[in-house]
Amino acid sequence: GVQTCALPILTKQLRLLESYGLINRYVYSEIPPKVEYSLTDLGKAFNPVLEQFGIWGDKYIESLNNK
């Protein structure tokens, strides 16, 4: 699970992504409270960018290890 001390930071980041239109937030009216997040079409369209960052990151780490 998510550690309690990290919840405020996680919540802030999720709200920011929601304000950018990258994720949807759905709040269930139940006890205990339940919230689900999903990617918007805009968020899904950003996935190739993240994949390229991953590829670049792997190459960068490899270059550091080869020094």
Side-chain angles (χ1 to χ4, degrees):
V2 177
Q3 294 178 351
T4 305
C5 63
L7 281 177
I9 296 168
L10 176 61
T11 300
K12 183 178 179 181
Q13 293 301 312
L14 288 169
R15 295 283 168 87
L16 191 59
L17 291 170
E18 183 182 14
S19 74
Y20 292 158
L22 297 174
I23 61 172
N24 294 311
R25 180 173 180 260
Y26 182 79
V27 181
Y28 293 87
S29 56
E30 58 185 51
I31 304 294
K34 178 181 173 182
V35 179
E36 286 186 354
Y37 293 91
S38 61
L39 289 172
T40 62
D41 288 341
L42 183 61
K44 291 175 187 174
F46 193 69
N47 196 45
V49 176
L50 294 177
E51 289 174 359
Q52 289 301 311
F53 270 123
I55 292 168
W56 177 86
D58 290 342
K59 289 179 182 178
Y60 180 70
I61 289 170
E62 186 179 326
S63 74
L64 292 176
N65 290 335
N66 291 331
K67 285 187 176 185

